[in-house]
Amino acid sequence: MAVACRRYGRLAAPDTTGALTKTSVLCLPIGSCEQHGPHLPLNTDTVIAEAFTELLVERYGERHDLWALPAMPYGLSPEHLWAPGTVTLRAATFLSLLDEVVRGYTRATAAGHLVIVNGHGGNRGVLEAAVHELRLAYGVAVCVIHPSALSPVRTEGQVPEVHAGVRETSLMLALAPEDVHLDRLPADGSLGSQGPETTRRIVFDRGVTWPWSSGDATIATHGVVGGDPRSASAHHGRSVLAGALDAAADVLEQLTTHRP
């Protein structure tokens, strides 16, 4: 079955009954609508989540009966509310929306497995809680794939890659180069995280959680928390995606051998 035919939204209503069974795997991309510096589009995370979902279906669709669902294009983005263009859901709204979407698919189909493909780091915390509730409420075997983090391919640099830096820009150069505008970056070279240690402490510290902001001048410039995006390349983006896609093989094996 071609990738296009494994897009749930392209099925006619009567086809869903025969096409999806208890062993089918629903693949739900979730992104965000938020600032990504002056050079990347607001829908960057959604583009990445949708594209990786398509890659999953193309590579593993026949083997594991994967189905690509329409994306949820909004997430939790309070850390970017300082910037124009950012739209965020409240945590309770996000959980309620996700619950309604999954409830709808479990009612409409026989599918017993769900992969959430998350393109936005800010969604990670709430999704960790959500998978427990979804499994208990609807009996689905469920997991979340974070493509960039899943990839073993690292991005070299002195500062952590958090948001709109070298890594994310490289992914977009590989997936949607027409939407990347490196010429809009300031010419004075004042980009990227301003304090690597401050970034690690505020964003990555496992002992303390801070409500950090990409508008905080101690960790970011122009909303970029990472290396200078001008060092990005489509080649690196493709390598990151390929690494994540290879790593997803084990994830899908584990998921599909679990019977709801």
Side-chain angles (χ1 to χ4, degrees), residues 150-223:
L150 182 66
S151 178
V153 177
R154 303 273 67 89
T155 302
E156 299 299 328
Q158 298 299 313
V159 296
E161 287 293 324
V162 179
H163 181 76
V166 175
R167 192 173 184 88
E168 206 162 30
T169 303
S170 293
L171 288 170
M172 287 298 286
L173 284 171
L175 296 172
E178 68 279 6
D179 290 332
V180 179
H181 305 285
L182 296 177
D183 58 308
R184 297 180 182 175
L185 295 171
D188 61 5
S190 59
L191 266 178
S193 295
Q194 297 302 293
E197 293 307 317
T198 303
T199 301
R200 292 187 181 94
R201 177 176 59 81
I202 292 178
V203 180
F204 292 111
D205 189 343
R206 300 297 293 178
V208 183
T209 298
W210 299 99
W212 63 273
S213 169
S214 61
D216 181 352
T218 66
I219 64 172
T221 303
H222 300 287

Side-chain angles (χ1 to χ4, degrees), residues 20-105:
L20 282 82
T21 69
K22 289 183 179 179
T23 59
S24 298
V25 182
L26 302 174
C27 301
L28 175 63
I30 299 181
S32 70
C33 182
E34 62 186 35
Q35 78 81 23
H36 277 80
H39 62 298
L40 295 179
L42 297 169
N43 69 342
T44 289
D45 295 336
T46 306
V47 169
I48 293 170
E50 284 187 307
F52 190 76
T53 297
E54 290 194 5
L55 291 171
L56 276 181
V57 171
E58 182 178 8
R59 171 82 70 88
Y60 303 109
E62 291 297 315
R63 181 174 181 179
H64 293 297
D65 194 19
L66 305 183
W67 290 87
L69 304 181
M72 281 178 51
Y74 302 105
L76 300 183
S77 306
E79 68 272 30
H80 306 296
L81 276 178
W82 62 272
T86 296
V87 176
T88 185
L89 300 178
R90 294 187 177 94
T93 304
F94 180 91
L95 284 169
S96 179
L97 176 60
L98 179 60
D99 180 81
E100 288 292 337
V101 168
V102 175
R103 182 173 74 91
Y105 283 115

